[in-house]
Amino acid sequence: MMAALGPYASFIVTSYGLVTAVVVLLIVWIFLDYRQQTARLRELEASGIVRRSGRSAAEI
């Protein structure tokens, strides 16, 4: 496979690998941040602070 990509095969494979790693890290980061923000919204709502939209964090 590497030979089919020509003389720049290592650069191409490395680039695709790095881009894949960055995209996976961003997906994980967004997922973890979503969970953290949802938990924070629940804490705020439990303390009596409500959002103007009227939706609870559980509905999101």
Side-chain angles (χ1 to χ4, degrees):
M1 176 183 153
M2 294 286 273
L5 295 175
Y8 303 107
S10 62
F11 173 77
I12 294 169
V13 172
T14 302
S15 297
Y16 273 94
L18 288 174
V19 167
T20 301
V22 167
V23 169
V24 168
L25 285 172
L26 286 171
I27 290 169
V28 169
W29 179 31
I30 290 168
F31 175 75
L32 293 174
D33 186 56
Y34 172 78
R35 288 180 52 195
Q36 181 183 10
Q37 295 301 325
T38 304
R40 181 70 178 131
L41 281 172
R42 285 191 183 124
E43 289 174 13
L44 289 171
E45 289 177 351
S47 70
I49 299 173
V50 293
R51 297 187 296 163
R52 285 187 270 179
S53 65
R55 297 184 301 173
S56 69
E59 295 174 11
I60 297 175

